[in-house]
């Protein structure tokens, strides 16, 4: 297993529609293992494959609350929302690809999701609460949609501007070029 670098917004790979997984094989399971390790390390409650540069329809989640609950890892291959409630829920969302930014997003309060598990078995689960928010957020990633796409254009531009600056600072810190060499 390996922790993989998480892509940061803005990045064209985060705007792509991802391809379905045709065959669940060893490579798929390695991808899932790496995604769990990367998500827990971050730490986060969900991660989609495109966030580590794999443009395929795979997501992982664990919405268990810290030390209060047992870990509840769920991996989904080719997930699809097959039903959503009329009633909506507002939840403050964040994203590992848009660190330090949090905003309220309104989504259906409950959804049913059909998917394949890591062994290729067809499953369907009912989600509500945090899991409903999380699974919709992650499936959005597979369609090149970020939570900031639900915000107004002004807010979105402000966040994107801050992210560009943060990415520059991180890149500079990595190459040791954070200090100006000329006055
Ligand atoms: Ni996200």
């Amino acid at each position: 297993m390996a922790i993989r670098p998480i892509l940061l917004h803005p990045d064209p790979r985060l705007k792509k529609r991802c391809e379905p997984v045709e065959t669940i094989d060893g490579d798929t399971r390695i991808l899932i293992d790496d995604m769990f390790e990367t998500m827990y390390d971050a730490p986060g409650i969900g991660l989609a494959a495109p966030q580590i540069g794999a443009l395929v329809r795979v997501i992982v989640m664990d919405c268990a609350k810290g030390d209060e609950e047992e870990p509840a890892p769920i991996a989904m291959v080719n997930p699809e929302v097959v039903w959503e409630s009329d009633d909506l829920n507002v939840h403050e969302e964040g994203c590992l690809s848009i660190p330090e930014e949090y905003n309220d997003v309104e989504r259906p309060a409950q959804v049913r999701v059909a998917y394949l598990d890591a062994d290729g078995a067809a499953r369907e689960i009912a989600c509500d609460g945090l899991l409903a928010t999380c699974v919709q957020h992650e499936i959005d990633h597979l369609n090149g949609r970020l939570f900031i796409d639900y915000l107004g254009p002004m807010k979105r531009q402000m966040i994107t501007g801050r992210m560009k600056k943060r990415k520059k600072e991180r890149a500079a810190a990595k190459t040791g070029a954070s200090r100006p060499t000329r006055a």
Side-chain angles (χ1 to χ4, degrees):
M1 295 217 288
I3 295 167
R4 308 242 208 130
I6 296 174
L7 301 183
L8 296 179
H9 169 73
D11 188 300
R13 288 167 288 182
L14 294 173
K15 302 301 291 175
K16 292 255 166 35
R17 191 180 162 82
C18 297
E19 293 296 324
V21 174
E22 301 281 347
T23 314
I24 296 175
D25 55 15
D27 287 345
T28 318
R29 281 184 280 273
I30 289 170
L31 174 66
I32 289 171
D33 284 349
D34 285 356
M35 287 172 64
F36 272 123
E37 195 169 349
T38 305
M39 178 189 80
Y40 285 124
D41 175 70
I45 60 168
L47 188 74
Q51 292 181 276
I52 56 167
L55 301 182
V56 291
R57 304 186 77 82
V58 177
I59 62 175
V60 298
M61 296 171 290
D62 188 337
C63 291
K65 285 188 196 84
D67 299 332
E68 299 160 43
E69 292 174 18
E70 289 293 307
I74 307 175
M76 296 182 172
V77 177
N78 302 340
E80 210 178 312
V81 174
V82 292
W83 174 84
E84 57 184 42
S85 64
D86 289 332
D87 54 314
L88 304 171
N89 189 24
V90 176
H91 206 280
E92 189 180 60
E93 297 189 23
C95 181
L96 293 175
S97 293
I98 318 174
E100 298 171 57
E101 302 290 347
Y102 300 89
N103 269 279
D104 282 348
V105 176
E106 190 178 55
R107 301 179 185 273
Q110 291 103 27
V111 290
R112 287 191 70 83
V113 178
Y115 64 98
L116 301 175
D117 68 17
D119 298 315
R123 293 181 180 274
E124 197 173 304
I125 57 165
C127 309
D128 68 0
L130 183 58
L131 184 59
T133 295
C134 188
V135 75
Q136 291 176 81
H137 175 119
E138 301 311 331
I139 291 173
D140 272 354
H141 272 298
L142 305 182
N143 297 321
R145 192 169 173 84
L146 303 171
F147 83 89
I148 56 170
D149 294 325
Y150 291 89
L151 311 177
M154 294 278 282
K155 223 173 197 176
R156 191 164 57 241
Q157 274 169 29
M158 244 169 52
I159 291 171
T160 300
R162 285 200 290 266
M163 281 304 303
K164 280 182 181 165
K165 201 166 154 244
R166 274 183 210 129
K167 281 182 79 172
K168 248 186 216 160
E169 284 164 2
R170 284 186 189 207
K174 244 183 222 160
T175 58
S178 54
R179 273 170 295 152
T181 52
R182 276 180 280 190

